[in-house]
Amino acid sequence: MTTKNVHVKIDEMKTNTGLIKNLELSIGKVVDESWAEPMGPTPMPSLTTLRDWDMKLLNRYKPFYMPDCDLCCLCTYGKCDLTAGKRGACGLDIGAQSSRIVLLACSIGAATHTGHARHVVDHLIEKYGRRHPIDVGGLNVKVEAPVTRLVTGIRPETLGDLEDVLEYCEAQITHCLSAAHTGQEGNNLDFESKAFHAGMIDQVGMEVADIAQISTLNFPKADPEAPLIQMGIGTVDTSKPVIMCIGHNVVPSVGIIDYMKDSGLADKMEVVGLCCTAFDNTRYYDRAKIVGPISWQLRFVRGGFADVVVLDEQCVRTDMFNEAERVKAPVIAASEKNCMGFKDRTNDPADEIVADLVSGKVPGVLILDPDKVGEVAVKVAMQIAPIRKKMRVLPNINEIVELAKTCRQCNLCQRSCPQDLKIPAALKAASEGNIAPLTELYEECIGCGRCEEACPVKLQIHSFIVKAGERFMVEETNLCRAGRGAVQDVEIRNVGSPIVLGEIPGILAVVGCANYPHGGKDVYDICREFALRRYIVVTSGCSAMSAGSYKNEEGKTLYEEFPGSFEAGGVLNVGSCVANSHIAGAAIKVANIFAKRPLRGNYEEIADYIHNRVGAVGLAWGAYSQKAASIAAGFWRLGVPVLVGPHGSKYRRMLLGREDKPEDWEVYDARTGDKVNVGPAPEHLFQTVETPQEAMAAIAKLCIRPNDTWKGRSIKLSHYIDLHKRHYGTMPPDIHLFVRTMADVPMTMKDEITAILEAKGWKETVIPDPTLLPRMIRKKKE
Amino acid sequence: MSCEPWQCAEIAATKKANAITKPEVAVAMIKRAARPILVVGSNATERWMEGRQLIDYIIDFAKASKVPVVATAHMVGEFLKRGFEPAGFMSAMDIGNRLVDPTWQGLDGKGHPDLALFVGLPYYMEALILSGLKHFAPDLKTITLDNLYHPHATWSYPNGTLEEWASNLKVMTSKFEGGQ
């Protein structure tokens, strides 16, 4: 990095004048220019530095707005009705308002990951010191922080270096958020550009969080053979005390695992996790277990499995304190961002807190010292388990039958269900003694509990569904690869050429949350389809869990069936939400390590390279959160297309190309300066797909890039055509737009495609050295 | 029959769909339209009425009314399997995006549609697309043929049973020459 703090810490020093204890001294910064790479044009970009790049993308991929609400309720001039062209009191119209909400969502997401990173870095510096080295993969990973290097121009070498990076992120998020204030920005595309900015910052924040924890907590370091972790409620030995950690921040869990091991209790209890904390727990301790994705919080707690519930941050059910109290499971809130209304007991003696929780004097406590969280959680679990005896609040089948008779068939449960599940019919059947229809809802239920909130006779409908599906729940015994973290530089060198030339047909990143339209099996099916086709399949977060939750005919999960390396046909789990940064990092490293494009503070050129050459596409089959929005936005700015499943339409804005407008698909040929039409490659930057079948065809198409060689294009077209024919029953209607020369045409389909090309009046074109940036043209036209 | 949004929270502000009280009303509007299209979503094979799938009712209706069909998702294959060729197929987002573009000249290149019928998309997706059209395609009229009330359409059937839905579709089909 360019600057360094001089930091002196003295624990104890005797001098002639006295004793000095715990002295810390910072005396400014010293310039360190050991990094030979010159600074690029855009280190630490401001809100507008990359605006021109954003506008290039936004003019090609124009927003299609689908307002989720006709009103704006953000200031006291309002509510303002913005229906169909009306402007509000501030002058904003519904297009700008919709993009403003997108900016808010992305800013919240970026703030959440960056706040997470700040907490992790501050804690780890306190524990390991500012000079603790960054190490995410030993000698295999020289480019340790590709996103950070690209965006900020900083090469972080120590934990202390990450503080400078975070200061930049925090300032930018503040600016992004401020732009959403009434009377700031007014143009929808400017809001969009700022949403991209928030997304880019989000990637930096995520990277900082993950490389800090990888470097200090002995997580797998870019390890393709990271351990296989037990996953599913059926893997938990419920005869032992169980601590369940929910959220995303591993720090309190580390306190729990350390205390448990130090106390010799590792064989006497279970530590399990839900959502991303589960992943990071298992990266720290491979005997921790993953219960499942975010949507399984209610089923695990109501099922009585957890003796102590530890909440950190993000995606935690905010009524968890109520739910846990129903089964007499004490709650420990462990994050400043999620205090749950509990009294702060951080400074109280651990044994007093334990006594209060075990006796039921208080249902929960706030403890902000992770070591104390560990001690309290372990002691409470050991003491309360024999008392609780896995108390549960699931009704038995007979009770369900009786209670279902009180159902009024008012339909409010179904009308409140995000999945539109046919609950009234299932309850009617249950009232007649047939539980099977309720059981069928288990797989598709996303565990939100809205059905119960809507029910006028207060039926515990979610509990009914969980009980009816109990057999599936307790039989869930799967394996998931622990998050491996970054992609090695050597892996990038091996696959860089075939990716850029198109011979590896694409990189599919299956990421996001668990609000799938019809259960997690679709995630597994999509991942397996593309792994078998020798795409590189990368997973993270709740999707990585769903990908591992099903087995092939030989009884193997995806992570057993396919290698965990970044190679054709690999299925690799990078880890938790913050590990998504490694997916962006891999694309960036292709540009830098394989193509030797300068990285440092050189965002626009690298994004232009990725957009035109790296056939990567993200799929968030379930995506519910603001963090998912900001993660997507980070990929949009890099020019990487993102698909979302049906619920993702509620992000209310798509970024869609128009393949019927040839003028939108021109690039410069960097060799000559000529403008060349490259077709809709990739066609969209953000799109909702309705069915898994549509997703598969869209993924194959969105991996097509202008730079593909004829051989690569031919391979990509083979997959696109094959998937399209299989699922759509017909040839793609746009195939002529992707054929540049006859050499692009897959050999086995030559006659069929030639006839189409003739009918469409197709003309041969050239394969350019593609760029959207005039400054990248090497030879200017006269 | 209720004119409340099927999904309770899908509330419109000041511009809310008119209720189609009987299928003849929808038929009259379709007959009045110069360039209607019918967008058919993936529930076409998920919904069953009287032992037939929704897609079968839609094929009957499309053949009778001659309204060009745009199949979303992978539904084109389902139409082709049944010997019916839609006028076009594209993703739900793509057809929505084209409909808000006043320069788009329709599937046949002869002019922008003046009426868009929707049926069989996941409720929330259809609601969002109809919202987009309500806000950004002021000259376009929209009708949903679903049995669920969609507040963002111009015209929508109230929430109804599967039997009512089947009946409405059959009556509509019968009111066109080809449906006699």
Side-chain angles (χ1 to χ4, degrees):
Chain A
M1 64 174 293
T2 54
T3 60
K4 276 197 170 165
N5 294 314
V6 171
H7 190 82
V8 178
K9 183 177 180 185
I10 298 170
D11 289 336
E12 188 172 328
M13 183 170 73
K14 284 182 183 167
T15 70
N16 293 337
T17 52
L19 179 69
I20 298 173
K21 273 190 170 178
N22 296 326
L23 175 68
E24 284 195 55
L25 192 63
S26 290
I27 51 170
K29 299 186 173 186
V30 170
V31 173
D32 167 27
E33 264 305 349
S34 60
W35 189 12
E37 185 173 332
M39 186 64 83
T42 58
M44 298 199 179
S46 75
L47 279 182
T48 54
T49 306
L50 296 167
R51 184 170 177 258
D52 284 351
W53 168 250
D54 297 336
M55 294 303 169
K56 281 183 174 53
L57 294 173
L58 289 164
N59 281 321
R60 180 183 271 192
Y61 305 103
K62 292 186 174 62
F64 169 47
Y65 295 112
M66 302 173 290
D68 214 13
C69 178
D70 300 338
L71 305 176
C72 176
C73 320
L74 273 175
C75 85
T76 64
Y77 273 122
K79 303 175 181 178
C80 289
D81 173 23
L82 305 180
T83 303
K86 293 190 192 82
R87 289 183 183 272
C90 67
L92 214 60
D93 65 17
I94 191 72
Q97 171 68 2
S98 299
S99 51
R100 182 189 189 196
I101 301 291
V102 173
L103 169 60
L104 280 170
C106 293
S107 299
I108 292 169
T112 305
H113 284 139
T114 304
H116 176 179
R118 170 59 78 181
H119 176 259
V120 167
V121 167
D122 283 353
H123 171 75
L124 294 175
I125 284 177
E126 194 181 318
K127 202 151 189 173
Y128 297 91
R130 280 190 169 76
R131 298 180 69 182
H132 188 92
I134 298 297
D135 175 10
V136 299
L139 295 174
N140 292 322
V141 181
K142 290 279 180 59
V143 182
E144 74 302 303
V147 182
T148 301
R149 287 187 183 199
L150 176 68
V151 174
T152 66
I154 292 173
R155 182 182 62 173
E157 295 173 277
T158 65
L159 285 181
D161 292 346
L162 298 177
E163 291 185 300
D164 289 357
V165 179
L166 286 177
E167 280 173 22
Y168 162 72
C169 293
E170 288 155 352
Q172 294 308 304
I173 293 165
T174 305
H175 290 312
C176 285
L177 199 53
S178 74
H181 189 275
T182 305
Q184 295 274 49
E185 199 55 82
N187 178 274
N188 67 311
L189 293 186
D190 272 314
F191 274 123
E192 299 290 354
S193 169
K194 289 173 173 61
F196 283 21
H197 192 66
M200 180 192 72
I201 298 300
D202 181 57
Q203 286 186 339
V204 180
M206 289 192 293
E207 185 174 81
V208 167
D210 212 40
I211 65 177
Q213 58 188 14
I214 290 170
S215 300
T216 49
L217 299 178
N218 200 29
F219 284 10
K221 289 182 162 54
D223 181 3
E225 295 178 1
L228 288 166
I229 301 297
Q230 291 195 57
M231 179 170 67
I233 292 174
T235 66
V236 181
D237 182 351
T238 51
S239 68
K240 296 178 180 174
V242 176
I243 299 174
M244 178 172 71
C245 307
I246 309 176
H248 286 71
N249 190 327
V250 75
V251 169
S253 299
V254 168
I256 294 167
I257 292 164
D258 286 351
Y259 189 85
M260 177 184 74
K261 287 161 75 174
D262 293 347
S263 308
L265 296 169
D267 293 325
K268 295 189 171 60
M269 61 194 309
E270 294 266 22
V271 176
V272 305
L274 261 156
C275 213
C276 282
T277 288
F279 270 132
D280 287 346
N281 285 5
T282 59
R283 293 164 92 185
Y284 183 65
Y285 174 58
D286 64 11
R287 287 172 59 193
K289 287 169 184 169
I290 299 169
V291 168
I294 173 179
S295 49
W296 293 7
Q297 294 181 46
L298 286 184
R299 68 175 70 163
F300 196 80
V301 172
R302 289 186 183 180
F305 303 110
D307 292 304
V308 177
V309 179
V310 179
L311 309 177
D312 54 83
E313 58 172 303
Q314 305 162 41
C315 305
V316 177
R317 278 194 71 96
T318 52
D319 58 355
M320 189 46 74
F321 60 97
N322 281 337
E323 292 290 338
E325 195 171 1
R326 292 175 64 198
V327 294
K328 308 287 185 212
V331 176
I332 301 172
S335 166
E336 285 182 320
K337 291 152 199 148
N338 186 12
C339 301
M340 287 276 165
F342 294 136
K343 187 175 179 190
D344 185 353
R345 304 287 298 271
T346 307
N347 296 316
D348 290 355
D351 287 332
E352 277 183 23
I353 307 171
V354 171
D356 286 351
L357 289 171
V358 172
S359 67
K361 187 176 171 188
V362 293
V365 293
L366 173 66
I367 304 177
L368 299 172
D369 172 352
D371 293 333
K372 190 167 284 181
V373 169
E375 181 180 354
V376 171
V378 169
K379 285 182 172 174
V380 170
M382 294 300 291
Q383 291 179 36
I384 206 166
I387 301 169
R388 280 192 68 250
K389 296 179 180 155
K390 297 293 184 286
M391 177 186 174
R392 58 195 343 224
V393 289
L394 298 181
N396 64 41
I397 296 297
N398 290 336
E399 286 170 332
I400 292 174
V401 171
E402 287 308 308
L403 287 165
K405 289 175 183 168
T406 66
C407 169
R408 297 179 189 167
Q409 292 289 304
C410 67
N411 284 336
L412 283 172
C413 49
Q414 184 172 352
R415 291 177 55 201
S416 298
C417 173
Q419 303 286 70
D420 203 18
L421 295 181
K422 295 180 178 61
I423 300 166
L427 288 175
K428 189 162 192 308
S431 72
E432 294 160 359
N434 177 13
I435 296 296
L438 266 179
T439 307
E440 286 171 18
L441 303 182
Y442 177 82
E443 171 74 4
E444 290 195 33
C445 172
I446 56 174
C448 70
R450 268 167 37 182
C451 47
E452 297 182 357
E453 295 300 313
C455 181
V457 292
K458 305 292 178 200
L459 293 178
Q460 295 284 298
I461 298 166
H462 181 64
S463 293
F464 292 4
I465 294 171
V466 171
K467 178 64 187 175
E470 189 175 29
R471 183 172 61 82
F472 300 115
M473 181 167 71
V474 298
E475 286 177 0
E476 282 156 4
T477 53
N478 297 299
L479 290 171
C480 185
R481 180 86 59 194
R484 57 166 280 170
V487 174
Q488 297 176 6
D489 297 3
V490 67
E491 289 176 298
I492 296 290
R493 284 192 194 96
N494 290 340
V495 298
S497 171
I499 288 172
V500 171
L501 301 178
E503 291 157 13
I504 288 178
I507 304 167
L508 170 60
V510 182
V511 301
C513 322
N515 54 339
Y516 313 121
H518 300 290
K521 177 74 167 23
D522 292 335
V523 172
Y524 168 82
D525 288 340
I526 293 169
C527 288
R528 188 161 189 268
E529 177 72 47
F530 284 90
L532 288 170
R533 290 175 180 274
R534 301 191 58 74
Y535 287 62
I536 301 173
V537 179
V538 187
T539 64
S540 69
C542 288
S543 290
M545 297 180 194
S546 301
S549 294
Y550 302 86
K551 298 184 178 90
N552 67 7
E553 55 279 5
E554 293 173 12
K556 289 183 175 174
T557 64
L558 276 183
Y559 299 108
E560 297 166 280
E561 186 178 1
F562 298 98
S565 46
F566 195 75
E567 64 179 49
V571 177
L572 49 150
N573 170 25
V574 288
S576 54
C577 277
V578 290
N580 278 305
S581 54
H582 303 305
I583 304 174
I588 292 165
K589 290 209 285 191
V590 170
N592 175 238
I593 294 173
F594 163 69
K596 308 260 188 280
R597 297 289 181 115
L599 184 57
R600 188 178 188 184
N602 191 29
Y603 193 93
E604 204 177 47
E605 181 182 342
I606 295 288
D608 180 63
Y609 183 94
I610 292 170
H611 181 59
N612 283 298
R613 288 170 168 80
V614 179
V617 57
L619 171 69
W621 187 239
Y624 93 97
S625 69
Q626 296 87 43
K627 295 195 304 153
S630 60
I631 291 168
F635 283 101
W636 301 331
R637 196 175 231 185
L638 280 173
V640 175
V642 177
L643 293 170
V644 284
H647 285 297
S649 58
K650 295 173 208 165
Y651 285 117
R652 79 196 69 196
R653 187 275 275 121
M654 301 289 114
L655 297 170
L656 303 176
R658 287 283 296 272
E659 66 173 21
D660 58 329
K661 294 195 168 184
E663 64 274 19
D664 287 353
W665 304 108
E666 287 184 341
V667 302
Y668 295 105
D669 186 339
R671 288 182 295 253
T672 63
D674 290 338
K675 283 190 170 179
V676 178
N677 191 305
V678 292
E683 184 184 5
H684 300 304
L685 210 49
F686 187 50
Q687 190 199 12
T688 298
V689 279
E690 197 178 331
T691 61
Q693 296 91 334
E694 182 183 4
M696 289 193 227
I699 289 163
K701 181 158 84 162
L702 287 174
C703 286
I704 295 173
R705 290 295 179 278
N707 189 65
D708 299 336
T709 60
W710 63 264
K711 186 178 171 192
R713 180 62 62 91
S714 169
I715 292 169
K716 290 185 181 187
L717 286 180
S718 296
H719 291 294
Y720 174 41
I721 293 168
D722 184 53
L723 284 164
H724 200 281
K725 279 187 166 179
R726 187 201 300 173
H727 295 304
Y728 286 64
T730 182
M731 194 75 175
D734 51 5
I735 200 74
H736 58 292
L737 301 176
F738 299 108
V739 177
R740 299 155 305 174
T741 75
M742 285 309 292
D744 288 345
V745 177
M747 285 297 288
T748 54
M749 306 173 187
K750 199 157 192 176
D751 293 345
E752 192 179 5
I753 293 177
T754 302
I756 293 170
L757 297 179
E758 284 173 6
K760 296 280 187 184
W762 170 84
K763 287 186 181 139
E764 185 169 282
T765 183
V766 297
I767 302 174
D769 180 1
T771 179
L772 297 177
L773 303 172
R775 69 180 170 83
M776 299 307 296
I777 298 168
R778 295 193 290 278
K779 183 182 173 188
K780 298 280 185 199
K781 296 292 283 183
E782 293 300 325
Chain B
M1 303 256 279
S2 162
C3 275
E4 292 172 11
W6 172 250
Q7 290 211 324
C8 301
E10 193 55 64
I11 295 166
T14 54
K15 194 174 176 188
K16 188 177 161 191
N18 299 305
I20 302 172
T21 50
K22 52 183 182 177
E24 288 80 359
V25 175
V27 169
M29 285 184 289
I30 294 165
K31 286 186 172 174
R32 204 180 304 147
R35 298 188 53 73
I37 62 165
L38 170 57
V39 180
V40 183
S42 58
N43 281 344
T45 51
E46 301 293 318
R47 300 286 181 266
W48 290 78
M49 294 169 276
E50 300 172 353
R52 298 176 78 210
Q53 286 172 297
L54 170 61
I55 192 169
D56 299 316
Y57 289 87
I58 296 302
I59 290 170
D60 291 347
F61 170 76
K63 283 179 176 171
S65 65
K66 308 281 192 294
V67 176
V69 168
V70 180
T72 71
H74 63 289
M75 281 300 105
V76 61
E78 297 293 333
F79 279 109
L80 294 174
K81 270 186 219 167
R82 291 163 175 80
F84 178 86
E85 185 160 1
F89 61 94
M90 62 182 79
S91 82
M93 295 296 136
D94 279 332
I95 186 62
N97 191 35
R98 279 159 175 70
L99 286 169
V100 297
D101 174 6
T103 70
W104 184 57
Q105 293 300 300
L107 294 165
D108 56 6
K110 293 179 180 169
H112 196 278
D114 57 350
L115 174 68
L117 309 167
F118 283 83
V119 68
L121 284 144
Y123 182 85
Y124 51 90
M125 276 185 75
E126 190 167 317
L128 284 160
I129 293 169
L130 288 167
S131 170
L133 299 177
K134 176 173 87 172
H135 285 284
F136 296 101
D139 297 329
L140 180 75
K141 298 279 185 281
T142 59
I143 299 177
T144 170
L145 302 184
D146 285 328
N147 63 330
L148 306 175
Y149 182 69
H150 268 290
H152 300 300
T154 316
W155 291 84
S156 170
Y157 283 99
N159 297 323
T161 64
L162 293 175
E163 292 73 25
E164 288 163 339
W165 195 11
S167 168
N168 287 338
L169 290 170
K170 283 191 283 193
V171 171
M172 288 180 68
T173 301
S174 72
K175 299 295 179 189
F176 290 92
E177 262 180 44
Q180 295 298 327

